[in-house]
Amino acid sequence: GENVEQHPSTLSVQEGDSAVIKCTYSDSASNYFPWYKQELGKGPQLIIDIRSNVGEKKDQRIAVTLNKTAKHFSLHITETQPEDSAVYFCAASLNKFYFGSGTKLNVKP
Amino acid sequence: DTAVSQTPKYLVTQMGNDKSIKCEQNLGHDTMYWYKQDSKKFLKIMFSYNNKELIINETVPNRFSPKSPDKAHLNLHINSLELGDSAVYFCASSLRTDTQYFGPGTRLTVL
């Protein structure tokens, strides 16, 4: 089955800096890659996603890149704000979601 | 309007008891899921139902029994609760295997 690895497990940045979270996957057939943000005491919320026919997608301060050859995808957050502090999960999917282990992002004011 | 809702939000119970968690979605989705999130935040899929039929059943003790009375509901019943069942349980829904939308979670504490 699919195996998704996510790094780093924790990330601390200064407000205004950029943050990058990376994921790798093993099954080249996976074709959908969502990113979720989980705030304390809440359920994971979709923040951005990308499909295998696209290399990059951007939504305001958030962007995702996909390298199908290398089987890795990344989340980029620019101009980080304290409210970006949360746990972020990547996932790879064909007919089933396989989640990464999560990255706890701390944005220091 | 809440898209995916779960009740209760908190559940504290004694070992050996039987408890249920309810989930409802109003998104018109045909697929629903149960996930378990442990203390290390890892999300592990337990079950998936499509149009009321079980399609994913991971290695979960048979003390856990999902029930889907209709496409909008997926309940989770747990028999003979154990300490190791303490976790946060999330319900999610999707249209076929597309984007999953999660509920707010139920924190289960077994004493």
Side-chain angles (χ1 to χ4, degrees), chain B residues 86-110:
Chain B
S86 295
V88 181
Y89 292 84
F90 287 102
C91 175
S93 73
S94 68
L95 194 58
R96 293 179 290 279
T97 57
D98 206 39
T99 307
Q100 293 183 20
Y101 295 87
F102 285 78
T106 295
R107 181 175 291 276
L108 172 64
T109 303
V110 182

Side-chain angles (χ1 to χ4, degrees), chain B residues 3 77 83:
Chain B
H77 188 76
L83 292 176

Side-chain angles (χ1 to χ4, degrees), chain A residues 1 7 11 14 21-22 24 29 32 35 37 40 42 57 64 72 76-77 80-81 89 92 99 102 104 109:
Chain A
H7 300 281
L11 179 59
Q14 206 66 41
I21 302 170
K22 298 183 179 182
T24 60
Y32 176 59
W35 284 89
K37 175 184 181 182
L40 198 61
K42 297 185 178 180
K57 185 176 177 181
V64 56
H72 67 69
H76 304 254
I77 307 174
T80 53
Q81 301 166 5
F89 291 95
F99 282 91
K104 184 174 183 180

Side-chain angles (χ1 to χ4, degrees), chain A residues 41-86:
Chain A
K42 297 185 178 180
Q45 298 295 310
L46 179 75
I47 55 171
I48 196 167
D49 56 9
I50 193 167
R51 298 187 189 272
S52 58
N53 58 347
V54 175
E56 185 173 358
K57 185 176 177 181
K58 193 173 180 182
D59 182 4
Q60 298 182 341
R61 298 185 297 108
I62 294 172
V64 56
T65 58
L66 172 65
N67 183 327
K68 283 169 50 182
T69 305
K71 290 187 281 190
H72 67 69
F73 56 112
S74 300
L75 178 70
H76 304 254
I77 307 174
T78 58
E79 300 171 26
T80 53
Q81 301 166 5
E83 51 264 40
D84 294 329
S85 295

Side-chain angles (χ1 to χ4, degrees), chain B residues 12-55:
Chain B
V12 181
T13 188
Q14 299 285 334
M15 254 191 336
N17 283 351
D18 303 339
K19 289 293 179 187
S20 291
I21 308 172
K22 295 186 176 182
C23 178
E24 177 180 2
Q25 55 93 5
N26 62 4
L27 296 167
H29 289 165
D30 56 5
T31 307
M32 296 184 74
Y33 311 81
W34 278 110
Y35 284 86
K36 180 180 181 180
Q37 186 173 51
D38 60 24
S39 57
K40 294 185 178 178
K41 298 291 188 183
F42 189 69
L43 277 166
K44 180 177 170 58
I45 190 165
M46 301 172 69
F47 301 104
S48 172
Y49 270 73
N50 176 262
N51 286 317
K52 303 194 317 178
E53 287 194 26
L54 182 66
I55 56 171

